[in-house]
Amino acid sequence: MPELTVAADTPPDFYVVEIENDYDKDVYNGDIGFVHAIDAELGDVTIDVDGRHVLYAAHELDRVVLAYATTIHKAQGSEYPAVVIPVSTQHFPMLQRNLIYTGITRGRKLVVLVAQTKALAMAVRGQRSITRWSKLADWLR
């Protein structure tokens, strides 16, 4: 399935997510905003990110995608009025307690787990830690 991108014909008030860091605009990968205004003549889109209006020229619109849903990874550091978390054995490597915890703590008023009992049990019991291979220790010496 192709990735949906924001275009000049995207209706206002649609939620979008930034998929790259843009230090000049002070927006970062995972930041969520909504389409505030569209200049159909130029193809520019103004996106409201945390109350700031950020202008994206037509050639920059590949940096944001529509955000009908997002991942727990991208949601870290954010909160939402309602969160729905599917929990299935189909993607068992993702059944990790820390991801369930992070997902649940993103919801302010409502959290719904749509879960297979077995999958939720696997996630809650799972305490595996992932070994991260980096040179950080070497660099700090």
Side-chain angles (χ1 to χ4, degrees), residues 78-83 102-111:
S78 300
E79 284 187 333
Y80 305 93
V83 174
T102 301
I104 289 171
T105 58
R106 300 307 93 197
R108 277 187 292 220
K109 293 184 178 183
L110 175 69
V111 175

Side-chain angles (χ1 to χ4, degrees), residues 69-136:
T70 189
T71 65
I72 290 174
H73 292 96
K74 286 201 183 286
Q76 289 185 16
S78 300
E79 284 187 333
Y80 305 93
V83 174
V84 178
I85 306 168
V87 185
S88 168
T89 57
Q90 185 174 6
H91 300 288
F92 68 90
M94 301 302 292
L95 297 176
Q96 300 173 32
R97 183 186 336 194
N98 63 324
L99 289 179
I100 298 295
Y101 173 82
T102 301
I104 289 171
T105 58
R106 300 307 93 197
R108 277 187 292 220
K109 293 184 178 183
L110 175 69
V111 175
V112 177
L113 293 175
V114 180
Q116 295 173 309
T117 305
K118 179 179 179 180
L120 186 57
M122 288 170 64
V124 171
R125 280 194 300 259
Q127 293 186 23
R128 64 184 175 141
S129 62
I130 298 171
T131 303
R132 301 195 183 265
W133 301 99
S134 75
K135 303 219 31 96
L136 180 61

Side-chain angles (χ1 to χ4, degrees), residues 1-31:
M1 181 174 178
E3 193 167 77
L4 297 173
T5 57
V6 176
D9 62 350
T10 300
D13 298 331
F14 269 53
Y15 279 90
V16 294
V17 62
E18 175 74 29
I19 59 171
E20 293 180 16
N21 291 334
D22 187 329
Y23 299 101
D24 295 331
K25 293 184 185 302
D26 194 28
V27 291
Y28 305 96
N29 184 25
D31 283 355

Side-chain angles (χ1 to χ4, degrees), residues 54-66:
V54 181
L55 179 66
Y56 285 81
H59 70 276
E60 299 173 310
L61 291 177
D62 60 344
R63 298 181 193 166
V64 290
V65 296
L66 295 175

